[in-house]
Amino acid sequence: MKLIIRGGKIVRLEQHTQPFAPLFYKKYLEDTSSLSSFFHYEWNQKALNKRLQETDFSKTKRTELVNVLTNYMSKFGLSETSNKHLEELKDNGVVVIGGQQAGILTGPMYSIHKAISVIALAKQQREQLGVPVIPVFWIAGEDHDIDEINHVYIERSRKLQKLVYPEKSKIKKIASDSIFDKQIMDNYLTEIFQSLPETLYTKELFTKVMNHLENNFTYTDFFAALMNDFFQEEGLLLIDAAYEPFRKLESEYFQLFVENASDLAEVVFEKEREFEKAGFGTPIQTKESAAHLFYVEAGERFLLERKDGMFIHEAKGLSFTKDELMSIAEKHPEKLSNNVVTRPIMQEMVFPVLSFIGGPGEIAYWGTLKTAFELFRMKMPVIMPRLSVTVVNTKTQTLLEKFSFTIEDVWNGIVEDTKLQYINKHRNERIPQLIETMKQDLAANYAKLEELLIDDNLLLSPLVQKNLRYHESQLTFIEHAIDDTFLGKLDASIHRYDRILMELTPNGGLQERIYSPLQLLNEVGTDFIKELLEIPYEFNGNHHVVYI
């Protein structure tokens, strides 16, 4: 436990072993050296030093890259620190980079944690290595699975509810081309804010969000505007993967992907088989026929495969020769888009990457790409696990202390078990037992009735069974009514347990994977993210718990 100053206030910081960690991520955190067949570096200071010393960053098109970044970010506003970082990047700076899909209201809180991770590691390495290290956030605007980003979770009637942006599209456009109906989005955001408790900060937060909506009508622009608002003073550089000038910068790299498509598919397929044999599953589920590129048409993405020397998408009726796709890569790179395999490689080609910040799922699929990087005569960067954070507000702290629970008790199911024990302790077990006996007696008597009717050749079995089901349903109805009334009597006490669980393990997982920052900003103020940046985080694979 550590006491720290945040926003002029003393708060408590704890570190714990990563809860809910998937098998491969747990292995990566605890024993990276055993995974050397999947990565070029471990994730420590020695590896970062080595990465800087042995990597040739001279091939980066620095001037062109900085021009693209400057033009993209100018819409959202460039701070003094952002401009400084752009100048450093043009010269000899290296980057710490991470990214995320463009969720509404920034998506889950771990989007914020990724940005904080990128900024914090860049600051630490700037001091440690003595060179400019610049934080960059790659927005996955080319993603087209809108269902993953079109919602937020809110609390209503003491239950967690997924509130989905209601406008539906007949086609799945990429996030950067998915334009909101401003009035529908306005109403949607208003509904979200109306579900929040009114605080000193609600009006200011609502105004901030709605102001950004005024000029940003796509998922990606709205996301970028908010992220820039939160992090521009830190000089976080943003780029949308689908930004057309960025695509043009990537032209020669798309040509490399087309030229080497067969070899790339082969090495990734073999590496994923090795990954699977090691017991870690198939995070990419790649095919030997994969092209690892999408073709973009009217904002839709179509994944290409290789067949009989052609690049095709059968359902759409797309078919290109290698020369045709090479020509598209050269003259119209905006018509191409990376997939899960080529995006990390493209990132390495475009940016001078010291370290990539990744979450559990990302690190797993990066583990299948070592030979893919080698195919293009590159090494993977140092892959640093992102910071994972749970924030415990004062009300939840009070409840934890009242019941003598720790945060680990919540993660380990002890709180849920204690809640069930409390309910069972107060339940009169004779009532459900009696109802069950009544059901059994009822069934037995109806069976006897049916036998007698059959003996008298009275064919009424369907009517008997229907009547039995009716009476059984009535007993079930009264059983549920008794249970609801019983739980209602215990409601105040049960709610305390539910409050802890909903705050700290919503939907049975980590808080950061469900809640957007909206709830916290509404509760403690719009400067809360800046205050989170003041915390001296350690990149050690632990989960950070901040008590505010």
Side-chain angles (χ1 to χ4, degrees), residues 1 5 8 21 34 37 57-58 100 185 192 204 213 216 220 314 316 321 324 327 375 392 415 420 466 473 491 530:
M1 185 185 76
I5 304 295
S34 68
S37 64
F57 295 118
S58 65
Q100 188 56 38
M185 179 57 80
I192 291 171
E204 177 189 356
L213 183 63
N216 299 289
T220 304
E314 286 187 336
K316 180 63 177 174
T321 65
E324 286 172 336
S327 179
L375 179 66
V392 188
V415 173
L420 294 176
K466 182 179 179 180
S473 69
D491 180 67
K530 292 179 182 177

Side-chain angles (χ1 to χ4, degrees), residues 434-444 472 475-476 479:
L434 178 58
I435 291 175
E436 182 58 32
T437 300
M438 291 169 69
K439 286 181 179 180
Q440 291 173 2
D441 290 345
L442 195 66
E472 285 177 335
L475 285 171
T476 299
E479 185 176 26

